Amino acid sequence: MKEILNKENEEYAYKCFEKTLELGFKFKLNNDVKEKQSKKQQINQLLKIPLDGIELNDLLKYFSEEILPYCTNFSNENFMGFPDAGNSVAGISGAIMSDFLQQNLINSSFCAPIATYMEIAVIKWFREILGYKIKKINNIWDVGGVITYGGTGSNSIALLLARENFKKDTMINGVKNPENYKVIIPKGIGHYSIRSALMWIGCGDNIIEVETANYRYDISALRETLLKNKGKIMCVVSYVGDSRTMTIENLKAVYQVVKSVDNNIWLHVDACHGFSLAFSEKLKKKIEGIELFDSISTDPHKVLAIPYCMSALLIKDPEKFKLVTSTSDLIMQEDFAFGQITPFIGSKSWVSLKTWFMMQNLGIKNIGKLIERRCDMAQYLKKQILKSDHFILMNEVNINSVVFVYVDNKNELSKMNINDINALNSQIYDYLLKEGKYYLHRFPIIDNMGAIKEDETIVVLRYMSGNDNISYKDINNMLTHIIEVATKIKGENK
Ligand SMILES: Cc1ncc(COP(=O)(O)O)c(C=O)c1O
């Protein structure tokens, strides 16, 4: 049967794979972020069940003509909204390889023998560069990390650990009074996954948002909240690169204030983005103190140019995974079965292989250089924004994110209406999205720095990139394009 890979159809399958690669290249190297805008009506067409099947070559042709033009190319140099470029050659190679090899990281001795050791190695590398202690690894409980499919999964496991650490055996007994399992986050910048995870693990919507200043905890407000809720807080979450502004928390101050109030509170840092700074000798001091936290979420698929999906949750004390161990005779009770310490996930593909490939290929030093360049690009954009009369900078620019708004003339800000600024920036975003040439992100944010008006909600545009193809010229062209688009919209609005 030629549809199932075997020795007889090797040549046919090889040609199909070549064609697949060709399409992948064509897509990734395309000049547009997106060729065509998809329409809602397409859903109906796509819902039809394939009854008779289509030969793979014909399917690839159909896919190339009818689907690919509607896909968004995160690797295009004009895609400046999110960091996840997914364009490391070694990373893609590792991704293809892992799909080919079909290793199951739930068990080691039978399903994924060498793969398990390589996954352990990736976790150990991350622990080491972030400053966690490294134990001699005799079994899975010495590893101190698990691989998940994303930052959301890693944050969820961190909260589960925090819950068990706070009240042992909640796994067995259930959550009795959810209001006594509170989690503190910084107001206005947190990623939704923390609130959702708290609800997913049965602790209800018991998030406390603490006031922020410059997109970091207001430390005295944090102290006050901790004292007021003493005994009812299981976890405090900080960000090393929050989803909106990429600001780095004042980690040591958070650590000290939390520990001074209650030593039993689990300190989690979501460093999905900011852990990338640890690769650079020059930048790693910006995240000093991260090693004090009980757990760290990292998201290589955001910052290491590898394809989706791969995240790693690291914990300071590897033994704590015993709090959430799964025991079943379907997961082997062997020294190195990741299935025992990875909540929520059963069969797991070898997603860490793409990171292994990327890291082996570049080495820490060259990854560090890439990260430095990304931060330099963001600083360059910041400078252009500060120089221009048309743009207002909304964040400090700690990592690779530049948050800004377009205005007619920033010297006449006092005469402008915030609703008009918000409407214009929303229109700019919609225009760009429809046009498909550039992509920037848009979201509302509370003006924490008083850039326009303190505490007002401002609709901002955001440049953020992990795409190492972006050049200074691309950044200049993007700003020029926004000015042109804004002028056009203003003309049409008249
Ligand atoms: C700070 C932060 N944490 C967690 C996540 C969730 O990561 P993922 O989308 O990989 O689940 C994101 C996603 O953007 C994020 O920005």
Side-chain angles (χ1 to χ4, degrees):
M1 189 182 181
K2 77 173 183 182
E3 283 75 21
I4 302 294
L5 181 61
N6 54 46
K7 286 186 185 130
E8 275 75 55
N9 70 0
E10 186 183 339
E11 203 178 319
Y12 166 78
Y14 198 88
K15 288 225 165 81
C16 290
F17 291 145
E18 267 184 346
K19 182 80 195 152
T20 307
L21 273 186
E22 209 178 279
L23 291 181
F25 271 87
K26 189 175 143 213
F27 172 73
K28 278 241 190 281
L29 304 181
N30 197 335
N31 287 334
D32 295 314
V33 168
K34 196 188 283 175
E35 272 181 30
K36 292 185 185 169
Q37 197 68 24
S38 51
K39 299 189 185 68
K40 239 184 177 172
Q41 301 88 287
Q42 282 174 294
I43 295 178
N44 298 328
Q45 208 183 325
L46 294 168
L47 292 178
K48 286 185 203 138
I49 284 192
L51 278 181
D52 299 318
I54 311 166
E55 195 278 327
L56 185 52
N57 282 298
D58 294 339
L59 184 61
L60 287 168
K61 187 167 180 305
Y62 165 81
F63 190 83
S64 148
E65 289 165 6
E66 303 296 329
I67 308 293
L68 271 187
Y70 299 96
C71 292
T72 310
N73 182 5
F74 282 39
S75 173
N76 184 285
E77 58 277 13
N78 288 340
F79 184 86
M80 301 179 178
F82 299 115
D84 356 16
N87 53 10
S88 148
V89 179
I92 297 171
S93 197
I96 295 171
M97 190 62 82
S98 85
D99 277 352
F100 248 106
L101 300 186
Q102 184 80 346
Q103 302 295 288
N104 188 345
L105 272 290
I106 191 168
N107 288 317
S108 79
S109 60
F110 181 69
C111 301
I114 190 90
T116 299
Y117 300 150
M118 282 165 66
E119 186 141 307
I120 290 172
V122 171
I123 292 170
K124 187 252 175 192
W125 297 341
F126 284 2
R127 288 181 62 88
E128 196 171 325
I129 62 167
L130 285 162
Y132 270 168
K133 277 206 187 99
I134 307 296
K135 277 177 92 172
K136 186 168 181 321
I137 296 168
N138 293 315
N139 57 46
I140 206 74
W141 288 278
D142 295 329
V143 174
V146 287
I147 302 295
T148 72
Y149 291 118
T152 303
S154 292
N155 284 341
S156 302
I157 297 176
L159 288 199
L160 191 68
L161 284 160
R163 192 193 71 184
E164 291 308 299
N165 183 64
F166 181 65
K167 278 203 174 70
K168 205 164 174 279
D169 290 338
T170 304
M171 290 244 293
I172 296 159
N173 303 321
V175 177
K176 295 280 159 33
N177 298 301
E179 63 282 6
N180 291 342
Y181 291 77
K182 294 190 201 306
V183 170
I184 291 182
I185 59 168
K187 188 173 172 187
I189 55 168
H191 187 261
Y192 73 89
S193 54
I194 296 292
R195 173 171 256 132
S196 298
L198 190 63
M199 298 196 270
W200 291 333
I201 63 168
C203 296
D205 188 5
N206 284 301
I207 287 282
I208 306 181
E209 290 190 282
V210 166
E211 289 301 328
T212 48
N214 284 7
Y215 306 111
R216 296 184 183 89
Y217 277 117
D218 172 333
I219 295 293
S220 52
L222 177 59
R223 186 193 311 278
E224 238 173 74
T225 309
L226 286 163
L227 288 170
K228 206 167 129 199
N229 295 279
K230 206 167 169 190
K232 295 182 180 167
I233 292 167
M234 67 176 195
C235 181
V236 172
V237 177
S238 296
Y239 288 89
V240 166
D242 67 85
S243 314
R244 289 166 204 248
T245 68
M246 285 291 111
T247 301
I248 300 170
E249 185 53 77
N250 190 347
L251 296 171
K252 286 184 183 162
V254 170
Y255 174 83
Q256 274 154 10
V257 73
V258 171
K259 290 291 163 188
S260 71
V261 175
D262 185 346
N263 199 32
N264 195 36
I265 292 175
W266 186 275
L267 274 163
H268 175 61
V269 58
D270 179 335
C272 279
H273 298 269
F275 92 102
S276 59
L277 301 187
F279 288 88
S280 154
E281 281 307 316
K282 196 167 111 195
L283 298 172
K284 73 192 302 182
K285 53 182 172 296
K286 285 190 173 207
I287 59 169
E288 259 170 23
I290 198 166
E291 71 290 349
L292 298 168
F293 283 61
D294 295 298
S295 52
I296 307 174
S297 290
T298 67
D299 230 359
H301 69 211
K302 293 195 199 316
V303 296
L304 292 185
I306 59 151
Y308 293 129
C309 289
M310 191 230 153
S311 170
L313 174 73
L314 313 172
I315 63 170
K316 186 155 81 177
D317 176 2
E319 294 252 324
K320 294 274 181 189
F321 275 119
K322 286 190 174 155
L323 294 169
V324 295
T325 295
S326 292
T327 40
S328 156
D329 47 14
L330 291 176
I331 306 170
M332 290 174 199
Q333 309 302 298
E334 58 187 11
D335 284 346
F336 289 113
F338 267 112
Q340 295 173 98
I341 63 163
T342 315
F344 310 123
I345 299 177
S347 293
K348 197 182 75 192
S349 60
W350 192 359
V351 290
S352 60
L353 184 60
K354 45 204 170 198
T355 303
W356 188 92
F357 262 62
M358 195 275 184
M359 288 178 72
Q360 290 282 4
N361 179 231
L362 280 184
I364 303 290
K365 285 188 188 154
N366 292 313
I367 297 175
K369 282 186 199 149
L370 283 186
I371 307 297
E372 284 166 20
R373 183 176 176 277
R374 282 179 207 168
C375 293
D376 287 347
M377 299 302 283
Q379 291 300 332
Y380 175 78
L381 173 55
K382 171 182 166 177
K383 267 192 218 138
Q384 306 314 305
I385 282 176
L386 291 175
K387 265 200 301 202
S388 165
D389 284 343
H390 286 303
F391 298 106
I392 297 176
L393 183 72
M394 301 294 296
N395 69 329
E396 273 178 15
V397 187
N398 282 180
I399 311 181
N400 59 342
S401 154
V402 185
V403 183
F404 61 97
V405 289
Y406 172 90
V407 289
D408 286 342
N409 182 348
K410 75 174 164 206
N411 304 313
E412 294 181 359
L413 203 54
S414 56
K415 293 187 201 154
M416 290 176 207
N417 177 310
I418 289 178
N419 291 336
D420 294 341
I421 297 175
N422 287 349
L424 179 58
N425 281 277
S426 281
Q427 279 179 297
I428 293 172
Y429 174 84
D430 290 338
Y431 187 100
L432 293 177
L433 201 62
K434 205 161 167 204
E435 185 190 37
K437 192 169 167 200
Y438 283 93
Y439 184 76
L440 291 166
H441 200 15
R442 168 193 64 185
F443 47 79
I445 192 162
I446 297 165
D447 185 356
N448 221 207
M449 302 207 314
I452 293 182
K453 193 161 185 224
E454 192 138 8
D455 294 336
E456 285 286 337
T457 299
I458 310 289
V459 176
V460 295
L461 299 171
R462 188 202 53 198
Y463 162 95
M464 171 145 97
S465 185
N467 184 356
D468 305 304
N469 286 324
I470 296 179
S471 66
Y472 294 109
K473 194 167 151 225
D474 296 322
I475 286 182
N476 290 334
N477 289 347
M478 178 270 288
L479 289 178
T480 307
H481 191 66
I482 292 184
I483 296 171
E484 284 164 6
V485 168
T487 309
K488 202 165 169 194
I489 293 171
K490 283 185 292 181
E492 283 166 11
N493 284 350
K494 266 186 191 155

